[in-house]
Amino acid sequence: MNMKELLRSSDPTILAFASALLEGEDIDCFQLDVNMSILEGGIGIFPRRLFVHPDDHFDAVKVMLDNEIPVTEHG
């Protein structure tokens, strides 16, 4: 399945909040780079990325911007 990048952040609270907001709107999302973040010891060097299905990307961007969460420009 193709996915489209929505945002990237090294702040786990932003990712958790974004995921909860998307879940509340019935938009499936998937976090990448979680294992890399764990390997670096949680010091925040490697950001995690949040992806959504391309069909949901427009709605997901709206949800993020409505809640003042910055999205990936090239996503």
Side-chain angles (χ1 to χ4, degrees):
M1 171 190 292
N2 291 332
M3 301 290 276
K4 197 164 183 181
E5 185 175 331
L6 180 64
L7 67 94
R8 57 176 75 192
S9 176
S10 55
D11 185 342
T13 59
I14 290 175
L15 292 161
F17 183 48
S19 296
L21 289 169
L22 293 171
E23 183 179 312
E25 297 291 328
D26 291 325
I27 298 174
D28 292 328
C29 62
F30 184 77
Q31 282 190 39
L32 288 178
D33 308 318
V34 174
N35 291 334
M36 190 59 124
S37 176
I38 291 168
L39 287 175
E40 53 121 13
I43 58 176
I45 293 173
F46 298 109
R48 297 180 189 180
R49 297 176 291 161
L50 191 65
F51 282 74
V52 296
H53 189 276
D55 294 343
D56 295 326
H57 190 261
F58 180 82
D59 293 332
V61 167
K62 182 167 178 9
V63 170
M64 295 300 104
L65 295 179
D66 286 349
N67 288 279
E68 300 179 0
I69 298 173
V71 296
T72 302
E73 293 296 322
H74 64 276

